[in-house]
Each structure stands twice: as C-alpha cells, then as structure tokens.
Amino acid sequence: MLDRLPFLVGLRYVRAKRRNHFISFISLTSMLGLMLGVAVLILVLSVMNGFDHELRTRILGMVPHAKIEARDGMVEWQSLAEKIMQRDRVEGVAPYVEQQGMFSVGGNNEGAMVNGIHPDWEDKVSIIGDHMQRGELSDLVPGEWNVVLGSMLARRLGVGVGDRVTLLVPEASITPAGVFPRLKRFTVSGIFSVGAELDANLAYANIEDMQTLGRLGDAIGGLRLELDDLFVAGSETQAILNELGPGYRGSDWTYSQGNLFQAIQMEKRMIALLLTVIIAVAAFNIVSTLVMVVTDKRADIAILRTIGATPRSIMGIFIVQGLAIGLIGIAVGVAVGVLLALTISDLIGWVEGFLNIKFLDAGVYFISDLPSRLHFEDVRNIVLAAFGLTFLSTLYPAWRAASVQPADVLRYE
C-alpha cells in the first residue's frame, strides 16, 4: 500500500477541491500556459516546415541539384549522361546551355538567364512542365526560335504568347559595317509561374537554338542532375568528378541557394528556442503551485510521516501531482497544436473570406496560402522538452515537502 502511496495521494490532490482558490487558480494558469506554449510551438514549427518545403519544392525544383561541365566543351554528352545515370543516387540527367542576356521589346528591357534545354529531357530534372500557365515545353522546336518566359518577366516586358522579343547577348559580332552586339528575335510560345524569384529572371529556349546563337557547334554547356536526396549533392558531385577524371568540373545547389535554406533553418531554431522559453515559464509556474500546496498540506504530510511514509514517498506525492498538472496541459496542447497545424490553411482561408482580406498576396509573396507540414519528430521533441521542464519544476517543492518534520507540525495540533 505504501508503495502506491505517491500515486494515490498525488492524483487525489490533483482532483481535490481546495479551500484555497488561489492555489487552484495558479494550477489552472500553469496548465493553460503549458497548453498554449506547446500548441503554439507545434503550429509555428509546422508552418515553418511548410515554408521550407514550398521553397525547396519550387526553387530547387527549378534549380539543378548538381551540374557537371567539361572544361573544353561537352560534345559526346549522351554517353556521359548514360554513365552518370547508372549511379544509384542520380534520378535524372538533362543537357543545358546557359546564356545571360537581355530581352528587349517596345522600349522595355529586362535581364534574364536563358536556359537552352531539350524538351524531352527537361522533365527529368525540373518541375517547369508542371507550372506552365500557357503553352508547353514541346513548343520549343529547333529552328523556330521560340522562348518560354517567367510570368513576372513577361509582365515586365508587357508581352504574351505569340509576341516577339529580342534577345541581346553580351558578345559582339564583327561585320563589314562594324562591331554590333549579337541579338536574335524570339517568339514567346509559353509562360510559366513557380511563384518564386525565378519567374522574374529565367527563360527557356531550345538547346539547339541556343547552340546556334552561342556558336557552340555540337557542344553543350553541361549536364544538370536530379538526385534522390538534395543534401548529398556536394558529396555526390565530387564522387562523379572523381569517377570522370580530369577535364570536368561541377557545382551543386548550395553554391546558389544554400544561404537561403541555412537562413530558414537558423530562423526555425531561434523561434523554437524563444517559444520553448514560454513553455519553461509555464512549467516553472508549477513550482509556486506546489510550494503553496506543500504549505497548505503540512499537517497531512506530518500525519503520513507518522504512519510510516518515507521522505521518498512524500517527494513522490508532489512529483506525481506536478507531473499530472503538466501532462494534462501538454496533452491538451499537443491535441490543439496538431489540430491547428492540420487545418491552419483552411482556417486562414475562411478568415480571409469572412473579413474580405488577403494575408498573403500572390503578387508579393511566392505563395498565396499559408503552408503547414506537421512532422512527428517536432511533436516528439516538444513533448519531451515540456515534460523535462515540468519534472524539473517539481523537484524543489517535493524536496521541501520531504523535509517537513512531523514533531514540529503536530506540536500545536
């Protein structure tokens, strides 16, 4: 019976109606604080996971995970692509030619990176085909000099499908009449939108047309790779270069986009740390609750000690009581946080419709709704952190309860 004493008495103290309503109020406040802290932390981390996923899907769906280039030009690229595709971590390979240039039409000038692509290969390494607003990649037929523009780039140029644009490249052509910049007229055959900065500075043309414009002959700029895990891009690129031998160079997505994702991860960690402080404050409110309970129950503690309860059992009573308060708050917080994380997009949409406002303008941000992705690892870590803080907050009051001397308390009873 004495072995079960901490659980029996501790849980009874949680359920009991106290004469001191202030103690009940502090207990409720601690419970609500834990609930709100846990729920908000789950919700915020889920939203940040959603933003991270959207950025990774949209930006890195357009930006190659890795690129392999030949120092002297890559001509026999088909055999090289087949060799690279045999590697376990490589899921797709596509040829490309990159050309920095400036589009001009009707007095509007906009700089852009023009990617020469092979329409039949591009879907293996890019999501561009899934984000075409108008036209198709198959419209990029060799010799027809068609171009696909990002939606923001097309808007700034004031062009649509069927309009003609002039591409100026930073290379000079020497003619009998003098030196002139190299330029070519293209027809806009399609417009894409991925909802990111790439919509303003990226365009696609057929790789053979870009080879002709760049006077590359049969050579291409290099091969773009799609990997099964973007976080192994650096090591996989180096392994491929070691296998190919000298004469090749490579790069991966971390050179162009790594700082962005590092910033997101750092921001996620800092916000998690700050919100954990809220949980800590709520957890340590349990200290004041239990200290007042110990003061209120000194006579009960003394009686339990006289009938054989050990100091360890007395500590267990108040540890159980504090953990019960904390676990109720954590459990309700997890339920509320998970529910909000799974429904926040629909909830924000309903609020926008009800108030006739827009929280995320697609013309300003790269998304129009609030993304959320719930990760079990985040929920687990939050629960463990909240439980650990709650347990620590029970130790001092429990020690004070175990230090009560029965003779001193019962002397005047």
Side-chain angles (χ1 to χ4, degrees):
M1 181 68 179
L2 290 177
D3 293 337
R4 299 170 54 193
L5 183 67
F7 294 96
L8 294 174
V9 179
L11 294 178
R12 182 178 179 84
Y13 279 173
V14 173
R15 300 191 305 267
K17 295 182 179 180
R18 299 186 181 89
R19 297 184 301 273
N20 190 335
H21 297 290
F22 184 68
I23 298 178
S24 300
F25 174 75
I26 296 297
S27 300
L28 181 61
T29 301
S30 303
M31 196 179 299
L32 291 176
L34 276 171
M35 181 198 73
L36 291 175
V38 169
V40 170
L41 188 51
I42 291 175
L43 176 60
V44 170
L45 291 185
S46 298
V47 170
M48 295 200 70
N49 290 334
F51 274 104
D52 179 70
H53 176 76
E54 290 294 324
L55 282 170
R56 190 176 301 172
T57 301
R58 299 191 185 203
I59 295 180
L60 294 184
M62 302 289 289
V63 175
H65 292 176
K67 296 193 294 186
I68 303 296
E69 300 174 345
R71 293 188 176 92
D72 300 326
M74 191 178 293
V75 179
E76 300 295 334
W77 61 268
Q78 291 90 344
S79 59
L80 183 60
E82 293 177 0
K83 182 178 180 180
I84 294 176
M85 274 296 297
Q86 294 176 359
R87 298 186 63 86
D88 294 336
R89 313 221 67 156
V90 178
E91 294 189 337
V93 179
Y96 74 92
V97 172
E98 282 185 346
Q99 178 65 67
Q100 188 73 39
M102 182 174 67
F103 286 103
S104 179
V105 56
N108 296 326
N109 301 304
E110 292 291 337
M113 176 65 73
V114 184
N115 281 345
I117 62 171
H118 196 300
D120 296 335
W121 290 63
E122 189 63 17
D123 286 342
K124 299 177 181 179
V125 299
S126 173
I127 61 172
I128 176 64
D130 299 328
H131 292 270
M132 296 293 297
Q133 288 186 334
R134 300 185 63 185
E136 301 291 340
L137 286 183
S138 58
D139 296 332
L140 299 178
V141 180
E144 293 191 3
W145 298 96
N146 290 332
V147 66
V148 172
L149 303 179
S151 58
M152 193 173 300
L153 178 60
R155 191 182 310 120
R156 291 175 179 176
L157 291 171
V159 297
V161 173
D163 293 335
R164 305 270 287 176
V165 295
T166 300
L167 175 63
L168 292 84
V169 298
E171 296 181 12
S173 298
I174 301 177
T175 68
V179 179
F180 292 93
R182 192 179 306 170
L183 52 87
K184 183 63 182 177
R185 297 274 285 178
F186 283 82
T187 301
V188 179
S189 63
I191 295 175
F192 71 86
S193 175
V194 293
E197 186 181 358
L198 299 174
D199 291 343
N201 53 32
L202 190 61
Y204 290 91
N206 188 275
I207 191 170
E208 295 184 20
D209 292 342
M210 297 307 297
Q211 286 174 316
T212 302
L213 182 62
R215 298 176 181 176
L216 300 177
D218 294 331
I220 64 172
L223 296 174
R224 296 195 294 172
L225 311 182
E226 176 84 7
L227 306 177
D228 61 350
D229 184 358
L230 61 92
F231 292 107
V232 302
S235 58
E236 185 67 15
T237 301
Q238 188 59 50
I240 292 173
L241 294 176
N242 293 338
E243 181 181 338
L244 297 178
Y248 294 92
R249 60 176 179 266
S251 62
D252 59 83
W253 66 273
T254 59
Y255 286 93
S256 59
Q257 306 293 335
N259 290 337
L260 173 62
F261 289 92
Q262 289 177 3
I264 292 175
Q265 293 300 320
M266 179 62 71
E267 184 177 359
K268 179 181 176 181
R269 294 190 188 99
M270 293 305 298
I271 289 179
L273 178 61
L274 293 175
L275 291 177
T276 302
V277 174
I278 298 177
I279 296 178
V281 171
F284 282 102
N285 277 341
I286 297 177
V287 175
S288 58
T289 301
L290 293 182
V291 167
M292 287 187 288
V293 171
V294 169
T295 303
D296 189 54
K297 300 294 184 182
R298 284 170 60 86
D300 295 353
I301 296 170
I303 293 173
L304 289 172
R305 289 293 306 277
T306 59
I307 63 175
T310 64
R312 183 175 180 179
S313 298
I314 299 300
M315 283 191 67
I317 290 173
F318 293 94
I319 290 176
V320 168
Q321 182 181 359
L323 288 179
I325 295 173
L327 287 175
I328 293 173
I330 293 171
V332 176
V334 168
V336 173
V338 170
L339 180 62
L340 288 176
L342 295 176
T343 61
I344 188 64
S345 298
D346 296 333
L347 182 61
I348 292 297
W350 179 83
V351 173
E352 288 177 339
F354 182 76
L355 299 179
N356 196 25
I357 59 176
K358 195 69 176 176
F359 289 109
L360 295 175
D361 187 355
V364 179
Y365 304 97
F366 69 94
I367 55 175
S368 58
D369 56 350
L370 193 66
S372 177
R373 288 181 68 85
L374 182 66
H375 291 173
F376 170 77
E377 294 81 4
D378 290 337
V379 177
R380 179 196 61 196
N381 293 336
I382 292 169
V383 170
L384 291 177
F387 180 81
L389 291 171
T390 301
F391 176 75
L392 290 176
S393 68
T394 64
L395 295 181
Y396 172 71
W399 173 78
R400 284 196 56 178
S403 301
V404 171
Q405 298 299 323
D408 294 339
V409 175
L410 299 177
R411 180 177 302 169
Y412 304 105
E413 292 293 331

